Amino acid sequence: FSLFARHRIRGRMLDYIYKNGTDIPVADSAWAESRAQFNSLVTEATDAFEAADRTFLWEAVRNAVHRLPPKEQQVVDGIYMQNREPKELALELQVSKTYIYKLQKTGVRRLRGMLSRLMHERRE
């Protein structure tokens, strides 16, 4: 994926989470950088409640990513948070690029599942 596509996908994930009402946490440098970008969105929020809600959603996404199996977590984090190329991740993890795409697809599906449960809980 191009850098633009990755940012668009990351933005869509956050939009989906925000729109449907969900949450996530993070610690490493890539997440910290993404958190800074996310915080710039929060400062554009019109009121304190919206800013708090966005922060809560960010923490939910981060928690969900950290619940993924290790390889899926590495791939999702590498592609979406660190903007790394699948080829680079494949070399690092000593697997094929096709396997990286499979891990990415599976990881995103798991995240959607985890976040859909959170959204359901939040609505109740």
Side-chain angles (χ1 to χ4, degrees):
F1 291 102
S2 70
L3 181 62
F4 175 75
R6 282 189 293 248
H7 283 291
R8 192 176 73 220
I9 291 168
R10 186 184 324 164
R12 284 182 183 171
M13 288 174 68
L14 291 174
D15 288 345
Y16 172 81
I17 293 162
Y18 181 71
K19 185 167 129 184
N20 293 299
T22 312
D23 337 310
I24 302 187
V26 162
D28 49 45
S29 62
W31 277 100
E33 181 180 319
S34 295
R35 176 62 184 240
Q37 293 171 356
F38 182 78
N39 284 339
S40 70
L41 294 175
V42 171
T43 59
E44 296 171 11
T46 56
D47 62 22
F49 291 110
E50 185 178 341
D53 194 46
R54 284 185 176 262
T55 300
F56 181 73
L57 295 176
W58 172 258
E59 295 299 318
V61 172
R62 195 184 103 195
N63 285 332
V65 169
H66 285 291
R67 290 174 44 207
L68 291 173
K71 283 192 178 184
E72 288 176 20
Q73 185 177 342
Q74 283 181 292
V75 170
V76 168
D77 183 63
I79 291 174
Y80 296 111
M81 305 315 291
Q82 298 175 21
N83 296 318
R84 296 176 67 192
E85 295 294 324
K87 182 178 180 179
E88 181 185 345
L89 289 170
L91 289 172
E92 181 182 309
L93 298 175
Q94 299 178 347
V95 296
S96 70
K97 199 162 81 170
T98 304
Y99 187 58
I100 293 295
Y101 288 123
K102 181 181 177 182
L103 289 171
Q104 177 187 9
K105 184 177 180 179
T106 305
V108 169
R109 280 187 181 164
R110 286 181 203 260
L111 287 172
R112 284 181 180 160
M114 285 185 245
L115 296 173
S116 68
R117 278 186 241 132
L118 289 172
M119 291 183 311
H120 178 70
E121 291 170 4
R122 194 164 178 205
R123 287 181 188 147
E124 293 178 345

